[in-house]
Amino acid sequence: MKIVRSKPELRESLAAPRRSGRRIGLVPTMGYFHEGHLSLMRAARRECDVVVVSLFVNPTQFGPGEDLDAYPRDEQRDAELAQLEGVDLLWIPTVDQMYSEGFATAVEVAGDLTGVLEGEPDHRGPDHFRGVTTVVAKLLNSVQPDAAYFGRKDAQQALVLQRMVDDLDFPVEIRAMPTIREEDGLALSSRNAYLSPDERERAVAISRGLRAAERAAAEGATSTQALVEAALKVLRQAGVEPEYVEARSADDLSTIAELNGRPVLVAVAARVGKARLIDNVLITPAPEEPSDSSQEAPL
Ligand code: AMP
């Protein structure tokens, strides 16, 4: 595996495979790898000839008061793990290189996709997604991959990036991959490193809450409110007060009142200790079936 830090080096390393028509896959990350990241690398390895992983803790997607400075980093361990997954190129740009003096451009997906859930002003706010879309546009332009791999753990982010790619004609396939979890259900996240053992115990309520929402749907709930309440109950019992629990259309994040066969995304954000954690589950009720035969989508 080659580690590259500059854009000229990156371009040079990709020139030959690109010329010979090899399929290039990109996995954008902020590092501190866990099985979630590694699962994306494995998918890219399966589907592409050349696997590029970018490691960049992007300052513009962190708001003031968020955890940019504390964000966990371990470049050497990351390089070892990426190498074990058969990654070809690990690209680690510097902040100065990504945002050189005079940088003045942003890519923004407007509207509800970025204004709700994480994008609500009271939550991370729309500037968060502006930071994400701008940096991912830059990563895509620098690597020019055939496919780019993202986790459904950040389901809203994947929807926003798909929108950006469609709207701006980026010639790339966006691959959204399943969420990888600990055995007890906790979604893997670099931010889990912030949790004390006690907080780690409480954090599992987030995935348990989502499972309760799934169960409610499987047991015939007809409203999204019932799903939200089922999740809230589990969270509160564990002493976790979420920033939000919302059920929205999984296609466009619009509000849905009744479960009507359309896929529903139930999304949670909650602070546990210093960690702000997010998770979600996709629920696809069986259309036009009696309510007791709703399908339970695995978390
Ligand atoms: P991050 O380094 O947290 O920005 O994440 C890089 C990529 O890994 C993003 O596309 C995330 O959605 C994805 N990811 C993070 N956690 C998980 C997980 N538990 N399962 C699957 N993908 C994940």
Side-chain angles (χ1 to χ4, degrees), residues 271-286:
R271 202 170 281 280
V272 182
K274 284 199 293 289
R276 183 181 180 282
L277 303 175
I278 61 169
D279 198 355
N280 66 77
V281 65
L282 180 67
I283 294 173
T284 313

Side-chain angles (χ1 to χ4, degrees), residues 2 12 20 59 61 70 80 84 139 166 177 195 206 222 281:
K2 195 164 164 191
E12 196 184 298
S20 53
Q61 71 190 68
E80 285 163 14
L84 286 172
L139 298 172
D166 290 348
M177 311 307 287
L195 299 170
I206 296 171
T222 55
V281 65

Side-chain angles (χ1 to χ4, degrees), residues 28-30 34 36-37 40 71 150-151 153-154 157 178-180 188:
T29 80
M30 299 205 301
H34 50 64
H37 298 113
L40 300 183
Y71 199 82
F150 298 90
K153 155 92 165 32
D154 299 278
Q157 172 175 279
T179 300
I180 306 297
L188 295 183

Side-chain angles (χ1 to χ4, degrees), residues 124-299:
R124 295 195 80 178
D127 285 357
H128 164 67
F129 285 114
R130 199 170 191 255
V132 170
T133 43
T134 302
V135 80
V136 173
K138 285 169 65 62
L139 298 172
L140 292 174
N141 281 336
S142 299
V143 175
Q144 296 179 35
D146 297 282
Y149 294 79
F150 298 90
R152 290 216 193 94
K153 155 92 165 32
D154 299 278
Q156 185 176 13
Q157 172 175 279
L159 282 174
V160 169
L161 291 172
Q162 183 68 61
R163 183 83 260 156
M164 175 187 84
V165 159
D166 290 348
D167 289 356
L168 297 183
D169 305 308
F170 279 86
V172 64
E173 183 187 345
I174 297 292
R175 302 278 289 122
M177 311 307 287
T179 300
I180 306 297
R181 299 174 179 282
E182 302 275 12
E183 235 166 67
D184 64 3
L186 179 71
L188 295 183
S189 163
S190 304
R191 291 188 169 95
N192 292 350
Y194 301 147
L195 299 170
S196 70
D198 187 51
E199 290 161 354
R200 167 68 184 77
E201 289 286 298
R202 274 197 297 138
V204 75
I206 296 171
S207 57
R208 286 216 187 102
L210 289 170
R211 248 187 261 142
E214 264 189 325
R215 237 181 353 259
E219 286 166 3
T222 55
S223 71
T224 52
Q225 187 56 33
L227 308 190
V228 168
E229 276 163 17
L232 273 174
K233 192 169 157 203
V234 172
L235 285 158
R236 290 192 174 138
Q237 270 167 1
V240 176
E241 187 54 41
E243 230 174 72
Y244 63 80
V245 179
E246 288 191 50
R248 288 177 171 270
S249 158
D251 298 326
D252 59 10
L253 302 185
S254 58
T255 49
I256 301 184
E258 299 301 314
L259 293 176
N260 57 5
R262 284 176 69 189
V264 171
L265 184 78
V266 184
V268 177
R271 202 170 281 280
V272 182
K274 284 199 293 289
R276 183 181 180 282
L277 303 175
I278 61 169
D279 198 355
N280 66 77
V281 65
L282 180 67
I283 294 173
T284 313
E288 293 168 33
E289 291 280 338
S291 57
D292 64 351
S293 66
S294 296
Q295 279 173 6
E296 189 170 356
L299 265 177

